[in-house]
């Protein structure tokens, strides 16, 4: 198997398909100085890397206690890295976030996807954040297996589906809510779906190309399940939908799938 040079480093050839969620290329080999949490590390050169494809519980450094399973996610990354603390990176289409962190798909020295390993263990939900959508199907499959088995976070109350009117999660945190789409509105802010009068799902203009083929008006009267970060506005909740992967037909919904295709609810 051949090799290639990137930024003066000798890197291995593309990772083998047997690795699972395998990378077609390696952009950099790096050394990890510190594991900040389950989805962020600091490199030996001081740069920080935010892993693409998942959102592990927060450690809340300096502002409170770690969220449930945050320590376990951080420690899992440390254990998977092993003594070498070497990491292979494939950069995302968008290479840097608003915090100045590198965005990359992380791979262990043996070619395994670190993201897939954490998702399989139920240590995070999958994170869908365009334009970094490469490997989305593989990451979702890994998350789905953990959800079905109720491993890790999927055994915790905030990650279980709740009728939107009964949701009592913390503002700004991940949640899974269900409800009937009772209204659709459109304005310069995008498309707004109201769930049972208790929550609004926003599809901003920049996200709408990902919903191509979806007639939002056809969702009125249908029961849906939405997944993502929920922000509280008074007695109302709001969730931003960046990709159709965040929205699915709720269990038992009998609406037509043809006009606005939605996957069926899987697991919790």
């Amino acid at each position: 198997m051949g090799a290639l040079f990137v930024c003066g480093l000798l890197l291995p050839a593309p990772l083998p398909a047997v690795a699972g969620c395998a990378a077609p290329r390696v952009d950099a080999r790096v050394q990890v100085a510190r594991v900040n949490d389950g989805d962020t590390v600091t490199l030996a050169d001081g740069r920080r890397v935010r892993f693409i494809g998942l959102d592990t519980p927060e450690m809340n450094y300096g502002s409170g206690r770690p969220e449930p399973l945050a320590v376990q996610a951080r420690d899992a990354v440390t254990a998977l890295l092993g003594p070498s603390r070497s990491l292979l990176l494939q950069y995302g289409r968008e290479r840097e976030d608003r915090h100045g962190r590198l965005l990359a798909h992380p791979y262990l020295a043996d070619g395994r996807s670190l993201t897939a390993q954490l998702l399989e263990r139920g240590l995070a939900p999958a994170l869908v954040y365009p334009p970094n959508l490469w490997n989305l199907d593989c990451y979702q499959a890994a998350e789905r297996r953990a959800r079905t088995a109720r491993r890790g976070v999927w055994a915790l109350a905030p990650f279980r589906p709740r009728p939107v009117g009964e949701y009592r999660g913390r503002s700004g945190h991940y949640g899974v809510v269900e409800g009937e789409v009772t209204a659709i509105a459109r304005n310069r802010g995008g498309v707004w779906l109201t769930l049972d009068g208790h929550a609004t799902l926003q599809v901003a203009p920049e996200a709408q190309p990902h919903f191509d083929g979806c007639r939002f008006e056809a969702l009125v009267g249908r029961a849906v399940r939405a997944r993502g970060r929920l922000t509280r506005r008074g007695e109302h909740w709001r969730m931003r939908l960046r990709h159709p992967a965040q929205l699915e037909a709720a269990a038992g919904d009998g609406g037509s799938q043809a006009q606005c295709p939605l996957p069926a609810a899987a697991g919790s």
Side-chain angles (χ1 to χ4, degrees):
M1 191 172 288
L4 67 155
F5 284 92
V6 177
C7 298
L9 295 176
L10 181 64
L11 302 179
L15 302 177
V18 294
C21 296
R25 69 176 193 276
V26 175
D27 294 321
R29 184 193 298 275
V30 296
Q31 289 297 121
V32 174
R34 180 193 178 202
V35 178
N36 302 67
D37 55 32
D39 56 39
T40 306
V41 296
T42 300
L43 305 182
D45 61 11
R47 293 178 298 167
R48 287 190 302 158
V49 178
R50 173 61 164 86
F51 302 154
I52 294 171
L54 79 170
D55 191 15
T56 59
E58 300 295 335
M59 289 296 297
N60 291 329
Y61 291 113
S63 62
R65 299 177 59 185
E67 294 180 356
L69 296 181
V71 173
Q72 290 88 333
R74 180 198 62 187
D75 292 350
V77 173
T78 301
L80 286 164
L81 286 173
S84 73
R85 300 178 78 84
S86 178
L87 200 59
L88 306 176
L89 301 179
Q90 178 181 312
Y91 295 129
R93 181 177 173 186
E94 184 175 75
R95 192 161 160 170
E96 189 173 291
D97 69 7
R98 60 190 178 91
H99 303 292
R101 300 176 298 186
L102 287 174
L103 298 173
H105 302 271
Y107 286 84
L108 301 169
D110 62 5
R112 288 178 296 163
S113 165
L114 180 52
T115 296
Q117 289 289 315
L118 295 171
L119 291 172
E120 286 274 4
R121 298 178 188 203
L123 292 173
L127 178 66
V128 184
Y129 211 111
N132 291 334
L133 299 176
W134 182 82
N135 240 357
L136 174 60
D137 289 345
C138 192
Y139 293 157
Q140 285 189 301
E143 185 213 70
R144 192 176 302 115
R145 290 188 287 271
R147 286 168 57 192
T148 300
R150 297 202 171 184
R151 286 193 292 268
V153 299
W154 304 110
L156 303 177
F159 292 82
R160 297 174 192 158
R162 288 286 183 272
V164 65
E166 300 174 11
Y167 184 73
R168 299 295 182 269
R170 295 173 59 190
S171 181
H173 288 247
Y174 185 94
V176 185
V177 295
E178 294 181 341
E180 180 181 317
V181 179
T182 53
I184 300 287
R186 296 174 182 266
N187 57 32
R188 288 186 298 177
V191 181
W192 304 80
L193 290 72
T194 301
L195 296 189
D196 289 336
H198 294 287
T200 303
L201 310 178
Q202 179 192 13
V203 182
E206 63 270 19
Q208 290 178 30
H210 299 294
F211 289 81
D212 186 38
C214 176
R215 289 180 54 203
F216 291 105
E217 284 72 15
L219 291 176
V220 175
R222 292 191 54 186
V224 300
R225 179 180 292 179
R227 316 159 59 80
R229 289 187 179 272
L230 284 148
T231 303
R232 193 177 185 93
R233 304 287 179 91
E235 296 301 313
H236 204 77
W237 293 95
R238 180 179 292 181
M239 180 187 295
R240 191 167 186 178
L241 300 180
R242 293 183 169 87
H243 192 272
Q246 293 177 257
L247 193 66
E248 59 192 12
D253 174 68
S256 170
Q257 297 288 317
Q259 293 180 321
C260 193
L262 292 178
S268 59

